[in-house]
Amino acid sequence: MAEGPVIRQPVVLNDILRNAQATGPATAASFQGPMLLNDSFTVAVDTTNVWATSLGGTGTFARQVVSGRPLARLDCPAGADKALCYSLKPFQPPGAASTTQDIYQRVTMEWLMAFTSVANIDNTQMVAGLNAIGAERSDINVACFCLASDALNTVTDAAGAETVTVVGGDAITLTNFNRYKIVMRNGTVEFWVNNTLRNTHTANILAVATQATIGLRSEAAVTARLEFTDIRCWLSDT
């Protein structure tokens, strides 16, 4: 008997690349869940469906194209300005109590980011990571990269109890674009820079609804800015 036609589903190359980058080598037990955030700012910043902002003074959040690269810019053009953005889609991160019976065991956030005039950024407020809604560095329930004495640090905070660690290892030129990544799973938070694991926190891990958050304030009488792009956040089961 002649066989009928074989119907093949189209394969989208971008989907293959995105999944490979997000999950690494495929394994039988690995499953990538929902993509919570995926924005390369190829069009105007979407503050209706993707992003919310918390701005102060003359602070702004807008799309820019620099040397052909689209990116988002958090700008504080005057002293004591505030520019903070966070994803509109919240999620419940896997905490220390998650078990193998929970479908999603891990949340990952990664992005490219460059500082300008690091000394002009208010270290007590700069934040980049997985935080409670609209949280700055001085707020509770954060898991983020931050600044201390103008050096890159990592912090986890659960209801006000904190763990803060300086980022060691090879020097990082913060004014260059670097690849940052945060992985949270089973009561552990890993902090990666340029594909190298720099810090691991196992204490004071937030367990409340959270969002991808990046923001800063400028010091008095100076300007400051953060630029970032290719930001994404997803869930997976391992």
Side-chain angles (χ1 to χ4, degrees):
M1 180 181 296
E3 295 184 356
V6 177
I7 300 175
R8 301 184 183 276
Q9 296 295 325
V11 176
V12 180
L13 180 59
N14 285 344
D15 289 344
I16 294 175
L17 292 175
R18 184 180 68 246
N19 290 336
Q21 290 173 338
T23 62
T27 66
S30 179
F31 169 75
Q32 179 183 317
M35 183 68 74
L36 304 171
L37 175 66
N38 190 6
D39 201 345
S40 295
F41 304 101
T42 55
V43 295
V45 170
D46 186 346
T47 53
T48 301
N49 303 298
V50 181
W51 295 101
T53 60
S54 179
L55 306 174
T58 57
T60 60
F61 173 46
R63 175 183 181 266
Q64 302 284 329
V65 178
V66 179
S67 300
R69 166 183 276 179
L71 50 83
R73 174 175 289 173
L74 289 163
D75 205 0
C76 295
D81 278 347
K82 174 185 178 181
L84 182 143
C85 64
Y86 55 94
S87 60
L88 280 172
K89 182 179 289 186
F91 58 94
Q92 184 68 35
S98 62
T99 71
T100 55
Q101 295 183 26
D102 295 324
I103 293 178
Y104 299 121
Q105 299 285 319
R106 175 177 62 180
V107 59
T108 302
M109 174 185 171
E110 68 176 355
W111 68 102
L112 297 173
M113 182 173 68
F115 296 73
T116 62
S117 304
V118 175
N120 291 358
I121 296 175
D122 181 347
N123 285 198
T124 67
Q125 301 296 350
M126 182 269 154
V127 64
L130 298 166
N131 298 350
I133 299 172
E136 295 184 274
R137 167 65 186 89
S138 62
D139 295 323
I140 64 173
N141 296 317
V142 301
C144 65
F145 288 94
C146 62
L147 293 175
S149 301
D150 292 335
L152 190 65
N153 279 240
T154 58
V155 57
T156 50
D157 180 297
E162 285 194 352
T163 299
V164 183
T165 310
V166 66
V167 174
D170 295 339
I172 302 167
T173 303
L174 297 179
T175 51
N176 291 343
F177 272 95
N178 295 289
R179 182 178 182 178
Y180 296 87
K181 181 167 69 173
I182 296 174
V183 180
M184 181 185 297
R185 55 185 163 194
N186 296 330
T188 297
V189 180
E190 299 173 353
F191 296 90
W192 298 68
V193 182
N194 297 330
N195 298 316
T196 299
L197 178 61
R198 293 302 186 99
N199 289 342
T200 300
H201 289 205
T202 58
N204 302 318
I205 310 303
L206 76 163
V208 300
T210 186
Q211 282 131 310
T213 305
I214 298 179
L216 76 160
R217 289 179 187 253
S218 54
E219 296 278 13
V222 294
T223 65
R225 186 169 68 237
L226 281 176
E227 296 174 341
F228 66 96
T229 191
D230 295 342
I231 184 169
R232 57 186 182 165
C233 186
W234 68 93
L235 298 171
S236 53
D237 71 344
T238 58

